[in-house]
Amino acid sequence: MDELLTRLEELDKQMILNRDEASSEQWLDFMDHRQQLVDMLIQRAEASPLAPEHRNRLASIQMNEDKLRRSMEAQKTEAANWLQQRGQAKAQRNAYDVVYASDSVLMDRRR
């Protein structure tokens, strides 16, 4: 149990330090790895009750989880704003582009 808690604490600590520079792929890898560790912890906790020191460490890990969740939500909001601005720019650009019919014919009259 101690080993799993230590690995989870280290994983969280590393991501907290790099959360502002982390790419979406890094976040996905982090979440997949973290979920595996959490699943192993749940299996071990079901097999035997948690000691008080383990509960304290889990409470600390949960506080880290809140920090990480806020960081992910901030990055999600930033990405959504970027996509919205991109969509608005595209709509404005398209408004100024004039589309001409390809089968129109110019007629010239001679006098």
Side-chain angles (χ1 to χ4, degrees), residues 3-38:
E3 176 192 344
L4 288 174
L5 288 171
T6 301
R7 288 171 52 193
L8 188 56
E9 288 168 339
E10 287 299 318
L11 184 67
D12 285 356
K13 184 178 177 181
Q14 192 109 46
M15 192 52 141
I16 287 172
L17 292 173
N18 299 325
R19 66 183 172 206
D20 294 332
E21 296 87 27
S23 67
S24 58
E25 292 83 19
Q26 290 170 319
W27 277 105
L28 288 173
D29 290 343
F30 164 76
M31 293 307 297
D32 288 341
H33 192 184
R34 191 175 197 281
Q35 188 60 50
Q36 290 173 356
L37 291 173
V38 168

Side-chain angles (χ1 to χ4, degrees), residues 71-85:
S71 294
M72 285 189 288
E73 288 172 356
Q75 286 187 353
K76 176 186 166 192
T77 302
E78 182 181 332
N81 289 341
W82 182 83
L83 286 173
Q84 183 179 15
Q85 289 174 350

